[in-house]
Amino acid sequence: MIVDSALYRNGVRVPLDTDISDLAAVRARCSDASSFVWVGLHEPSAEELATVADVFGLHRLAVEDAVKAHQRPKLEQYQDSLFLVLKTLWYVDEEDAVETGEINLFIGSDFVVSVRHGQGSDLRGSRGYLEAHPELAAHGPTSVVYAICDRVVDAYEAVAAELEEDVDEVEASVFSPERTDDSPRIYVLKRELAEVRRAVLPLREPVRRASEASVPGMSAEAAPYFRDIGDHLNRVAETIDTLDVLLSSAFDAQQARISVQQNDDMRKISAGVGLIAAPTLIGSVYGMNFDHMPELHWAFGYPFALGLMALSSLAAWIFFKRSGWL
């Protein structure tokens, strides 16, 4: 259950081989303000997380949210700790699908407990970045929040870039000379954009609060770092809104093209019917076998009738060709 855990003192990691039963002893080693513990969990059971909650004094409601997952991104304060929910995103290009996971962060003055659900956004990269920058880790638990948020938002930008490529492909297909049916893919991409929007938009408010140093328990010195994350979030949100508008326009253009193609098909069908209408009329009249019809008493009756059919068809073809129906 415990993926990784460490004690950080003055921004430097003190490695630990920690079992869940040892967490209380580890936390007791945070003897001053320069020390904190970061415990990383992956999909713990309710009983396992309850044990961790007892050690760090986590609020029951926040623990329930972390166990159930599928929460909306949010930042809440419970007594002397914070609870932050992040949605993680990654893109599966073969399926035009945005997959989601979740990270729940419990933040206290001397600890961070991260609970991860899903396969995306492994936090080892965030740990590595933090440990490579001890001057940043020296800010305490706030630095962990920044490192995780920064990595998560970077993943948002990567997903937005992938979606941009797919939207470009849809636009090229819609306006290509070939007949294509892009409506199903447009629908899928709009649905995935909605998934990204559900992750990005609610997170902007917590990040804004952190960037203004208005979150109790988070270091005011980290505000510039969160402002940078906020800029990235806003850029992703603008990209998603733009892509959504482009897909809507592409869908409208697709429907307009289908309508034009159907009208063009009907004109061609009508022209084809017109080409055979005159010969059919001539043949039907001559087939009535009246006494004074040319084929009964005239040697050139059949050639005349066939020539008249050919001439009427040629005249109709020339007319339809000049009018653009053929």
Side-chain angles (χ1 to χ4, degrees):
M1 177 196 65
I2 296 180
V3 178
D4 197 359
S5 61
L7 171 66
Y8 294 86
R9 182 172 290 120
N10 294 318
V12 178
R13 173 172 178 155
V14 179
L16 301 170
D17 185 13
T18 309
D19 185 77
I20 191 170
S21 60
D22 301 327
L23 290 178
V26 171
R27 188 185 184 189
R29 295 174 61 180
C30 298
S31 56
D32 53 56
S34 66
S35 303
F36 70 93
V37 177
W38 179 5
V39 179
L41 311 175
H42 181 249
E43 297 183 354
S45 67
E47 293 75 16
E48 291 169 332
L49 190 54
T51 302
V52 177
D54 289 340
V55 173
F56 294 100
L58 308 181
H59 197 278
R60 179 179 58 82
L61 294 177
V63 172
E64 288 180 1
D65 287 346
V67 171
K68 294 178 181 178
H70 305 295
Q71 302 296 314
R72 186 175 183 269
K74 60 183 179 179
L75 175 62
E76 296 181 343
Q77 184 172 8
Y78 291 99
Q79 298 170 350
D80 57 350
S81 65
L82 299 172
F83 179 60
L84 175 64
V85 178
L86 305 169
K87 285 289 187 183
T88 58
L89 304 176
W90 67 98
Y91 197 65
V92 181
D93 190 49
E94 296 78 9
E95 302 174 5
D96 288 342
V98 177
E99 299 294 337
T100 63
E102 187 172 312
I103 297 175
N104 301 279
L105 297 178
F106 298 90
I107 307 125
S109 60
D110 60 351
F111 70 88
V112 175
V113 176
S114 57
V115 180
R116 185 167 59 88
H117 295 270
Q119 300 302 315
S121 296
D122 190 335
L123 297 184
R124 284 179 294 183
S126 299
R127 279 189 185 269
Y129 174 80
L130 199 63
E131 291 165 9
H133 297 81
E135 73 285 356
L136 179 61
H139 289 290
T142 304
S143 64
V144 177
V145 179
Y146 163 72
I148 294 176
C149 288
D150 184 58
R151 187 171 181 84
V152 168
V153 173
D154 284 347
Y156 292 171
E157 291 189 294
V159 169
E162 294 281 358
L163 287 169
E164 278 188 292
E165 291 182 9
D166 285 344
V167 172
D168 288 342
E169 291 174 4
V170 167
E171 288 183 312
S173 178
V174 166
F175 295 103
S176 69
E178 300 179 0
R179 291 196 173 193
T180 58
D181 183 12
D182 298 294
S183 299
R185 191 179 187 191
I186 290 173
Y187 171 77
V188 168
L189 288 174
K190 285 182 73 69
R191 185 184 63 192
E192 301 311 311
L193 286 175
E195 192 72 47
V196 177
R197 188 180 285 108
R198 282 193 291 269
V200 172
L201 297 188
L203 185 58
R204 291 197 293 181
E205 177 60 20
V207 170
R208 183 195 64 79
R209 290 173 57 194
S211 68
E212 295 175 354
S214 60
V215 180
M218 294 185 67
S219 173
E221 296 177 358
Y225 295 96
F226 285 99
R227 279 198 294 271
D228 180 65
I229 293 176
D231 289 341
H232 291 200
L233 266 179
N234 290 332
R235 185 161 62 240
V236 173
E238 291 170 0
T239 299
I240 296 305
D241 289 341
T242 300
L243 294 180
D244 192 52
V245 171
L246 289 175
L247 283 176
S248 297
S249 300
F251 181 79
D252 293 340
Q254 170 81 5
Q255 299 306 304
R257 284 199 66 189
I258 291 175
S259 179
V260 170
Q261 289 168 353
Q262 289 175 340
N263 290 338
D264 191 48
D265 291 341
M266 289 304 300
R267 288 193 305 174
K268 291 180 179 179
I269 292 172
S270 299
V273 172
L275 289 175
I276 63 174
T280 301
L281 176 62
I282 295 170
S284 63
V285 170
Y286 273 84
M288 291 180 183
N289 296 325
F290 295 133
D291 285 340
H292 300 289
M293 295 300 288
E295 76 266 17
L296 296 178
H297 306 290
W298 185 31
F300 298 103
Y302 279 109
F304 173 78
L306 294 174
L308 186 60
M309 292 179 187
L311 182 62
S312 62
S313 295
L314 177 62
W317 184 85
I318 293 173
F319 173 77
F320 290 132
K321 192 71 174 177
R322 288 181 176 179
S323 65
W325 284 37
L326 287 175

